[in-house]
Amino acid sequence: MRAARASLLLLQFSIHPSECSSSSFGRLGDVSPHAFRKPSSHRDNGKRYARDVALRLLPRGGQQGGTPTYHGNYVSSSAGEEPKGAVLPAVVQTTSATAAATTTTTTTPAPAPPAVVLSSATSTGSKLANLRERTGPAVVMLGATYLLLKYTGNKGFLGLVFLIQLKMYQESTSVVENYKANSNNNNNNNNNGGASLEDDGIGSYELQKWWWFATAVMATTGRKMISDNTSWTMDRMNLITFGMSSVSLLWAVIQLAAIDSPSAEAIYRSYLAKVASCHFSLLFLVGQSSFWIRTVSDYGLVWILFPALLVIVNDTMAYVFGVLVGKRKLIPRLSPKKTVEGFVGAGVSTMAVAAPLLKKMMGGGDGATSSTENLGRHAVILALYVSFVSPFGGFLASATKRAHGAKDFGNFIPGHGGAVDRFDCQVVTAPFVYLYLKNCLSSE
């Protein structure tokens, strides 16, 4: 406790030196009262004087008979070194730091600051590199499509549409299923390896899923294609299609009724959520893309290629304008990379190239069922829809990916993702093109 008394007296003396008597110093034992006297040569402030007094006390701090006391361990060990984790009294700590600062004369030069790289420049460079990465696969896809259509015609196009529908359906349903599977794994971990809380318990779900796909294809374009190429009438095909949908209903209800489990309600919820995702994919992807087949059958292949090229131009120019001048986010919660400048710039660019592109494509005579005077009007109307409505199909796809923690729907197209990532805007365009041509082009 002697070191503690010394620290307290030192603090009191540094504040009110006139109140400290020699008798007070006598209680310190080995510490001489002369150590606290202020020499006449000290004409600086009280801080320096307090430092000198503290430095005189430090060599003896906490020693009683050669053994460090409890308080002494906070000041100095028996070996004269500061123990690990030691905390000096406030006055001693301050004066020691001041003394160390005054005795240190060597300085280390400050390191050179790192090179400054503007974030906008880095972002622009990465976007341009991504654009170059996307360009190669896009050129390959366009070339392969051109060769397929050139040598196979409409039949090759019908096969291509079926493959695109199948791939889009598989990707969109897999995103939801993978998300639910990961959620079930997390629930199992939280339950210490117990049974899944959301296990659907429907063993035939995969078979049902593809039965629904076949039923949707038959209801949209399959029945017409079969009736046109076989002896089966359209009425018979309608009856077959209705029978397929009835089987789907009976199958699902019987499966749910056969579940005998304490967690039946959770199984119902999980199964019906998957059913909803499958039927939404059938409606949004398969249903809308089936208008491609109707359009090519009634109006020719040129009215498929022209809107498709407009979508490609719009998507490309939105990316270019977004990289070069994009500053304000368009829909940051759904698609953070889309900008207002990119959206507007892409719309203007698409309308600018629409009329010349359509006139050029009609020069070959394929599908040239409209007068040249009206081609410009048709081109601008389709370009307006492609520019300001079709991109919202991409926004909906982005919301679906964000809701289920997926970056892309697939990865079979390098730099583009999956089929849904590439055709999300195309499928939104297909119904409008067919309905517009049926109402406007047929009348001419």
Side-chain angles (χ1 to χ4, degrees), residues 280-346:
F280 177 78
S281 299
L282 293 173
L283 176 65
F284 185 77
L285 299 174
V286 177
Q288 294 191 109
S289 62
S290 65
F291 282 91
W292 285 332
I293 299 177
R294 292 174 176 265
T295 301
V296 74
S297 300
D298 296 346
Y299 301 101
L301 194 58
V302 67
W303 291 105
I304 298 294
L305 298 179
F306 172 67
L309 291 176
L310 289 183
V311 172
I312 294 174
V313 170
N314 186 266
D315 184 58
T316 303
M317 297 310 297
Y319 192 87
V320 171
F321 276 96
V323 170
L324 297 179
V325 297
K327 294 181 180 179
R328 289 167 290 188
K329 301 296 184 182
L330 182 62
I331 309 179
R333 290 187 178 274
L334 299 183
S335 187
K337 295 182 180 179
K338 304 295 184 181
T339 62
V340 176
E341 293 80 5
F343 185 78
V344 175

Side-chain angles (χ1 to χ4, degrees), residues 239-294:
L239 181 61
I240 292 175
T241 303
F242 180 78
M244 293 178 67
S245 68
S246 299
V247 170
S248 300
L249 175 64
L250 295 174
W251 192 351
V253 174
I254 292 174
Q255 283 281 353
L256 293 175
I259 295 175
D260 185 13
S261 172
S263 59
E265 291 79 5
I267 296 176
Y268 297 160
R269 285 194 300 270
S270 178
Y271 173 74
L272 293 176
K274 293 181 179 180
V275 172
S277 67
C278 289
H279 284 75
F280 177 78
S281 299
L282 293 173
L283 176 65
F284 185 77
L285 299 174
V286 177
Q288 294 191 109
S289 62
S290 65
F291 282 91
W292 285 332
I293 299 177
R294 292 174 176 265

Side-chain angles (χ1 to χ4, degrees), residues 25 282 317 358 394 427 440:
F25 295 113
L282 293 173
M317 297 310 297
L358 182 58
V427 297
C440 298

